[in-house]
Amino acid sequence: MKASELEPKAQKALAFLHEKSAEHGIARANADNMDSWVNVELQRIKGLICGDLSDAAKSAEAMRHPDYLEALEARKQAKAIWYEAQFKREAAQAIIEAWRTCCSNERANVS
């Protein structure tokens, strides 16, 4: 493939990276925040459990609580959005890198 053939795709990929950077940043922040939220939910639910139970028993009980399972699902969804954005960015970067390689090869007259 020639650099001239890849150039339009590389331009689209670069535009994608620029246009989606804020959206991708928010997706990453949401995914990171969900990690903290899941831990807070676990501790909150453990605090609601009454009785003379060990910390491990309270943790096990809290991990079965519907609110904790809901937090896990929310984290899963946030991470899915982040990973999708990450993979799309990596694909765009691969197109740009392929274009750069083709340009370099053409300058060096490498076929």
Side-chain angles (χ1 to χ4, degrees), residues 56-108:
K58 285 183 178 182
S59 290
E61 186 71 25
M63 288 178 176
R64 290 190 294 271
H65 194 280
D67 288 350
Y68 182 73
L69 298 175
E70 184 180 317
L72 288 176
E73 182 60 31
R75 179 174 67 180
K76 176 183 166 186
Q77 291 173 7
K79 294 239 181 201
I81 292 167
W82 161 242
Y83 284 124
E84 180 181 355
Q86 180 182 4
F87 295 142
K88 285 180 178 181
R89 281 193 336 274
E90 288 174 6
Q93 290 167 342
I95 290 169
I96 293 168
E97 195 57 38
W99 172 75
R100 289 178 61 198
T101 300
C102 284
C103 288
S104 177
N105 289 347
E106 286 176 10
R107 281 192 304 272

